[in-house]
Amino acid sequence: MISSAMPAAPQPPDEKRRLKALHSLSILDTPPEERFDRLTRLAVKVFDVPFAMISIIDEKRQWFKSQQGLDVSETTRDISFCSHGILSDQALVVPDATLDPRFSDSPLVKGRLAIRFYAGWPIRTPDGHKVGMFCVMDRRPRSFGPGEVESLRDLAMVAEDEINDVRLNEAYRELRDREAELADFIENAADLIIRAAPDGRILYANRASKAALGYDDADLEGLTMPGLIAPSERPRCAQQFGRVLRGETLRDLETVFLAKDGREIPVAGHVNCQMRDGKPHATRGIYHDIAARRQVERFRSEFFHQVNHELRNPLTLIVGALHVLLANPGELAADQRRWLEMLSRNATHLQRMIEDLLELTRSETGKLALHQQPVDLASLAAQITEDFSSAAADKRIALKHKVAHGLPAGLADPLRYRQVLGNLIDNALKFTPEGGSIKVSLGRSDAEPGFLLTSVADTGLGIAEKDLDKVFEHLYQAASNLENRRKGLGLGLTICKTLVNRQGGRIWVESSPGQGSAFHFTLPAVIQ
């Protein structure tokens, strides 16, 4: 800020009211705006001068809402020509500042700017307070005729109208505040946020990025995206970023960043490109560290291998041997047969739990195979329901099914549909007392056009409201279901949810204690 100890201009008699009116305009310290800059650019051309400003006179400073030719945004009020200009209702014209005792010692005149000529017109608030000047300056003395004064006044009037548009000023201020909040949010986000030019130069990296990778601002000035990526990943990432520059958004992109100290950091994130006039301007990526996830995935893979080879295979042999022994009842005493049947039931139950565990592991490691195809779900649902008719009859439970007419085929994996519906019917049989009923229905989804809705409703124990959001979680079993009924790991519904979600549908439950439960899931219908 340029300042001086030279005597300041007298204060206007309405100074307090003037300052209050100025602050009500919400214009001070707002960023440059094209609506004002075009006026000062025009003034430079019209009057053939190197300097043009829209100057606002605050309590102790002169602040430029728009300026051409200067490299400062404000000066102290005591050295300004404009602080004298607001004392008059007419133009202030200074043909040669070196000859005017008010300005001859000003640093604007004696300093590097070497101002000689000044002309300005007051800018007023709606109630008449003069809050600034629209002015032009030159390094050479010159005259300023009536026609030029009139042109300067016209430009000042346009600037005045814009400045007095309080609603627009407040909107710009609000926009500036929101931009500042957004910038602060991005800078302090936990995710790694990186912006790069089309040629790969890093334009911005937030605090989390610099902390995770060990770079500071000076390092980033010479860094490129290829330099930020581990060498083994660069060829693949070059192809992917080429797609981004063509306007494609990459979701869940996985790659490996290279830290300053040589550490490799696995990350995943979304990347897109900001376009201007149809051309790539900058890529924008939001990444998060997936090192912990990779470690969990390795553990799951090793766990899957151990369970599959150390438990499942031997257990399969045991179950097979028990079936062979039980197939020859004449060779067994009654108590031997009773013990073998008990072993067979428990071994089969253990085998089922291991299969559930392996199925969950497959789904969470991406190894779960799905083969979606057009399927006649009406016939398939009827077959699956029929498969449970014997078990329902044993408990004197009425098992019914209802299928709407004229249904299109569903887009589903028939094996996985059987697995989901079978699990829901099996659960309903477990938790419905003798003499109850279970209804399996299939129809169109009213809430989701283009989807088929499968439901299994029972008159069983029901589920407490606090448990409804948890029944699909790992290993969760509602308290009301635990008494003498804990026959598994509590993974069945978790697996059902994964299978339904992977096929593009959703699953949920409606229930009340003592009123039974209704499990629903949707799958896409084949568009006809």
Side-chain angles (χ1 to χ4, degrees), residues 407 442-454 506 508 521-523 525:
L407 292 179
L442 176 69
R444 297 178 187 271
S445 172
D446 294 332
E448 299 176 61
F451 283 76
L452 297 179
L453 174 68
T454 305
R506 66 185 185 97
W508 69 99
F521 68 95
T522 60
L523 289 174

Side-chain angles (χ1 to χ4, degrees), residues 3 14 26 37 44 81 89 97 120 162 164 167 195 197 241 246 299 307 338 346 362 381 451 464 507 525:
S3 61
D14 63 344
S26 299
D37 290 343
V44 166
F81 288 78
D89 292 329
E162 294 290 341
N164 288 325
R167 288 178 300 176
R195 187 167 176 263
F241 275 89
R246 291 191 292 272
F299 172 78
V307 170
R338 189 170 61 254
N346 282 280
R362 291 188 194 100
F451 283 76
I507 186 169

